[in-house]
Amino acid sequence: MDSIEAGTNRTTGDSVVLPTGFRRNEVTPVDILMTGDGKTAFVALGRANHVAVVDVASRKVKNYILVGKRPWGLALSRDEKTLYVANGLSDDLTIIDTVSLQVVNSVAVGMVPYGILIVDCGGDANLGPPSVGRLVAGFGVFPGRVEPNVLRRP
């Protein structure tokens, strides 16, 4: 995985993202998400079925977290204590505690989720109080329509 300096658009280094037991051709990074402080990056590794937790300053992988099949989309909760992972081929969403870096739960969401949007309910009576929130797992387009699945945040 290459690092690119924003000011010059030049590569500045390479980080090896390779979970134990995988060959390089089996690891396909498809999404990256950084914490607000810029210290940690989460990388969805696609075919490798893991999320890599990367220390940005050192460019070293701190941990690999096993998730469902083909993690494609990532989203962090507002407080950054929860990471949500859309797993495209296992049709589920993995919920990760970012403090312990442990999987908390896996929830079936329907066919081929590829992205996640966290919607702040803003106190809307139909959606619930702002602290509840909603997760919307994005799906691929099937027979001419997109059918998002809406979940209550745990």
Side-chain angles (χ1 to χ4, degrees), residues 3-139:
S3 299
I4 300 172
E5 185 174 320
T8 64
N9 291 327
R10 294 182 184 193
T11 57
T12 59
D14 187 31
S15 298
V16 176
V17 181
L18 192 63
T20 302
F22 286 87
R23 293 184 298 260
R24 203 176 269 278
N25 69 327
E26 296 172 320
V27 180
T28 51
V30 293
D31 196 7
I32 187 167
L33 182 65
M34 289 180 72
T35 55
D37 63 10
K39 293 181 179 180
T40 302
F42 298 97
V43 184
L45 299 180
R47 294 183 344 186
N49 304 329
H50 284 77
V51 170
V53 182
V54 179
D55 176 77
V56 173
S58 69
R59 298 185 181 126
K60 302 285 184 203
V61 175
K62 297 191 301 187
N63 199 359
Y64 291 102
I65 303 167
L66 181 63
V67 295
K69 292 181 184 174
R70 298 282 173 97
W72 288 332
L74 302 172
L76 275 171
S77 62
R78 182 180 293 179
D79 63 7
E80 298 187 348
K81 292 183 180 177
T82 306
L83 176 69
Y84 301 96
V85 183
N87 303 304
L89 294 187
S90 54
D91 302 330
D92 60 11
L93 182 87
T94 300
I95 302 167
I96 297 170
D97 178 322
T98 60
V99 175
S100 67
L101 300 179
Q102 298 294 313
V103 171
V104 175
N105 200 1
S106 185
V107 180
V109 293
M111 293 179 62
V112 195
Y114 61 83
I116 302 163
L117 173 65
I118 299 175
V119 179
D120 185 349
C121 294
D124 185 307
N126 295 317
L127 299 176
S131 61
V132 173
R134 286 186 146 191
L135 292 176
V136 180
F139 292 77

